[in-house]
Amino acid sequence: MSFTAALRDLNKLNTFVKVAQRRSFTHAAAELRTRPSVVSKRMKELEEELGFRLLNRSTHGLVLTDAGEGLFAHCLQMLAKLD
């Protein structure tokens, strides 16, 4: 994997963490200083690369799937270790 590809993957994981924390593409996008459509695209790409859904989207908002909850917890542990 190239350095650029690794950074894209980290960017997707960072975006996922923000979405999981905010339960909103719009709020995550504001925090990341980008557009909700960019956040949505990153989440779709991450789900496709992983091969499973991380989020259930509805008119009532976003809910993490069981796999999404697991990945979110893992990401938080990794971030805590980096701090």
Side-chain angles (χ1 to χ4, degrees):
M1 175 184 297
S2 72
F3 181 71
T4 303
L7 285 179
R8 276 195 304 270
D9 289 345
L10 286 175
N11 196 17
K12 289 175 190 171
L13 285 174
N14 182 53
T15 300
F16 168 70
V17 168
K18 298 299 181 194
V19 168
Q21 289 172 330
R22 305 291 176 249
R23 300 293 200 263
S24 164
F25 287 165
T26 303
H27 293 130
E31 189 169 336
L32 294 166
R33 297 182 181 168
T34 190
R35 296 180 312 277
S37 61
V38 172
V39 171
S40 178
K41 181 180 177 196
R42 287 180 190 158
M43 290 303 86
K44 182 179 178 184
E45 289 172 353
L46 182 60
E47 288 176 329
E48 288 174 356
E49 289 168 8
L50 293 172
F52 51 84
R53 293 185 62 84
L54 298 170
L55 305 162
N56 286 322
R57 300 148 177 88
S58 76
T59 56
H60 301 291
L62 300 172
V63 177
L64 294 174
T65 63
D66 289 342
E69 288 284 355
L71 180 60
F72 182 51
H74 187 69
C75 287
L76 291 179
Q77 290 173 357
M78 287 189 308
L79 291 171
K81 287 179 183 178
L82 289 174
D83 280 344

